[in-house]
Amino acid sequence: MLSGKKILVGISASIAAYKSIYLIRLLVKEGASVKVVMTPAAKDFVSPLVLSTLSKNKIAVALSNEEYEWENHVQMGRWADIMIIAPLSCNTLAKMAGGICDNLLMASYLSATCPVVVAPAMDEDMWKHAATKKNIEQLIAYGNTIINVEKGELASGLFGEGRMAEPEDIVTYIKEHFFRTNELRHKKILITAGPTQEALDPVRYITNHSSGKMGYALAEVLYQRGAEVILISGPVNIQPAFKGIQQIKVLTADEMFNSVLEHFQLCDIAIMSAAVADYTPITVADHKIKKKEMEWLLPLAKTKDILQTIGTLKTKQYVVGFALETDHEKEYAMQKLVAKNADCIVLNSLQDDQSGFGFDTNKITIIDKSGITKQFELKSKQAVAKDIADFIISKIHA
Ligand code: CTP
């Protein structure tokens, strides 16, 4: 996602500097080129050797190196697509607010032509001091972005506000705010994900093994490509990757149906990846149903087919269905494509190892209404989501 992006990480003196090791690792893993500039005092908190090994670049600390060669103080701020100062100490914050240029980190900051994001880290009393507040306001006025501190255990042993944001959250923040692409800009996408839960009584329900991972991965990838995403999700234990993804939680097939219909007309693309229950108990008991003597035949009613319904309602929308099959895969998937009037069907076969419910990987075939069949290798659900996104983008831009 950050492939080819040039990121300058600034590290100032704070106990939270240990987290910058992991931040750099995450950025490199995402494909970014990372350079690091640190204040001389930050060297007491984190080893430049570790940082240079992880970033695969030498670490800049002083305005001249040990051979007394001049380090170009504006080079890094001009090189970077974004500068992230994490942790930002109280002292470096004050210098940034005042424009004091007494080290290479400050020179890089003052000469940066890219956006600057800071993740402060300090004790609660320092964080709440009027001077700090004023300095933060000053940075905002300069156009810098502040990633808010978190509440928790602090280096002083006290508990309160002042912890640096977690590296994962910093990476997510910059991906969401600085590196979304424009491919699906102005496109509104509706995605269903997860299972549904059909209650029998106050303590029991009918459901299935869907984890929702595929739908959530799709929401993440399509949002990253610039789309506005509405994610209608059955009960799962995951959160959308980005704050800007609108998540609507539902429980039953009927709630999912109503929610999809409420949003469908304003959408450009609809992806029905949820494993919707096909049947629901005809009545839901008010009290816990007591054990029967021998057999118990449970009367069930068919749920409304969401994909089929939007297939009949669609005007401009590109509609994607999913099919999970154990046998006659392509034949059944083709039948669903036609019967539900989808534009394409993403087929997963439960015969493929490591594919389908619960796994982090999936192996799919996309069948298009024009008869095109595209088969993909076994991949992570994130990579599968990228393939599906590429396919949809190629179709809507065709
Ligand atoms: N689907 C839906 N509403 C339902 C049932 C299914 O929108 N009540 C959608 C799923 O989200 C998926 C597609 O229809 O995109 C196919 O779902 P699947 O469970 O594979 O097929 P069914 O139509 O339920 O048929 P069967 O269970 O007999 O295979």
Side-chain angles (χ1 to χ4, degrees):
M1 199 114 308
L2 295 177
S3 179
K5 301 293 178 222
K6 291 177 272 178
I7 300 180
L8 178 60
V9 176
I11 303 175
S12 60
S14 154
I15 292 286
Y18 76 90
K19 290 189 189 173
S20 56
I21 295 175
Y22 191 47
L23 173 65
I24 291 163
R25 207 174 121 64
L26 288 176
L27 293 170
V28 170
K29 225 168 131 191
E30 290 267 352
S33 295
V34 179
K35 287 189 181 179
V36 179
V37 57
M38 63 200 301
T39 62
K43 286 198 321 185
D44 290 338
F45 293 88
V46 63
S47 149
L49 181 64
V50 175
L51 301 173
S52 77
T53 309
L54 289 174
S55 67
K56 302 184 182 96
N57 271 311
K58 74 175 188 158
I59 306 302
V61 182
L63 285 161
S64 70
N65 65 24
E66 268 138 41
E67 281 84 45
Y68 296 103
E69 285 166 349
W70 171 247
E71 294 280 357
N72 188 335
H73 63 292
V74 298
Q75 184 205 26
M76 283 182 294
R78 290 185 154 264
W79 164 85
D81 293 318
I82 191 164
M83 180 177 190
I84 309 170
I85 305 182
L88 173 67
S89 67
C90 203
N91 190 34
T92 296
L93 166 65
K95 287 187 197 173
M96 286 168 74
I100 295 168
C101 189
D102 67 347
N103 61 39
L104 190 55
L105 187 148
M106 284 309 306
S108 303
Y109 165 67
L110 289 167
S111 59
T113 48
C114 59
V116 178
V117 177
V118 300
M122 60 196 78
D123 226 52
E124 185 172 51
D125 298 326
M126 291 159 90
W127 175 246
K128 292 202 162 155
H129 195 282
T132 305
K133 281 190 189 152
K134 197 165 151 247
N135 290 338
I136 289 281
E137 273 160 28
Q138 188 59 61
L139 257 56
I140 294 170
Y142 292 154
N144 301 151
T145 303
I146 320 291
I147 301 186
N148 241 331
V149 296
E150 290 173 1
K151 218 175 185 161
E153 216 173 297
L154 302 167
S156 58
L158 297 171
F159 187 90
E161 272 178 50
R163 276 175 71 87
M164 185 179 104
E166 292 304 322
E168 287 94 344
D169 296 334
I170 297 175
V171 173
T172 303
Y173 187 94
I174 63 154
K175 275 162 59 177
E176 174 157 15
H177 293 276
F178 297 96
F179 295 118
R180 286 175 74 197
T181 62
N182 283 331
E183 292 150 282
L184 291 169
R185 197 149 166 246
H186 304 311
K187 297 281 181 216
K188 198 165 180 169
I189 305 188
L190 184 63
I191 301 172
T192 63
T196 59
Q197 253 182 30
E198 311 300 322
L200 286 169
D201 67 15
V203 292
R204 302 184 184 95
Y205 53 79
I206 300 172
T207 190
N208 56 62
H209 291 298
S210 170
S211 63
K213 285 178 186 166
M214 195 61 244
Y216 276 69
L218 276 164
E220 175 179 351
V221 167
L222 293 162
Y223 179 79
Q224 194 73 54
R225 304 274 178 105
E228 183 186 335
V229 175
I230 302 174
L231 177 61
I232 300 175
S233 170
V236 291
N237 281 328
I238 19 178
Q239 283 300 313
F242 299 111
K243 289 209 167 73
I245 294 173
Q246 188 190 341
Q247 183 197 39
I248 299 171
K249 286 270 210 166
V250 295
L251 268 187
T252 65
D254 202 44
E255 285 170 18
M256 190 173 273
F257 177 89
N258 291 333
S259 189
V260 168
L261 259 70
E262 190 187 326
H263 296 94
F264 178 66
Q265 288 304 349
L266 292 177
C267 284
D268 303 288
I269 299 165
I271 306 174
M272 300 292 105
S273 69
V276 188
D278 288 331
Y279 292 92
T280 189
I282 287 184
T283 51
V284 183
D286 291 341
H287 303 287
K288 187 184 166 199
I289 300 168
K290 297 309 283 179
K291 201 170 6 196
K292 313 284 177 210
E293 272 308 308
M294 292 297 283
E295 288 176 350
W296 175 27
L297 295 176
L298 185 64
L300 300 173
K302 211 168 174 187
T303 57
K304 289 176 246 174
D305 194 309
I306 305 169
L307 176 59
Q308 193 160 35
T309 307
I310 61 171
T312 60
L313 296 175
K314 74 174 181 178
T315 47
K316 55 170 187 172
Q317 293 88 351
Y318 188 83
V319 173
V320 182
F322 269 67
L324 179 69
E325 308 292 345
T326 55
D327 55 280
H328 299 86
E329 293 90 341
K330 284 202 180 134
E331 184 189 330
Y332 287 155
M334 279 300 285
Q335 283 171 10
K336 282 176 190 169
L337 176 79
V338 175
K340 303 192 186 203
N341 195 27
D343 292 287
C344 73
I345 285 270
V346 178
L347 163 68
N348 343 208
S349 164
L350 279 187
Q351 283 185 1
D352 291 319
D353 276 352
Q354 305 294 308
S355 190
F357 285 160
F359 289 110
D360 287 330
T361 48
N362 213 357
K363 188 172 170 187
I364 59 154
T365 303
I366 303 181
I367 304 171
D368 179 56
K369 67 175 176 201
S370 61
I372 296 169
T373 300
K374 228 175 155 183
Q375 227 166 323
F376 298 85
E377 295 301 309
L378 183 77
K379 294 176 183 187
S380 71
K381 286 188 173 167
Q382 241 68 29
V384 170
K386 282 182 193 151
D387 289 337
I388 297 171
D390 287 340
F391 187 87
I392 295 171
I393 291 168
S394 75
K395 288 292 161 189
I396 62 165
H397 289 159

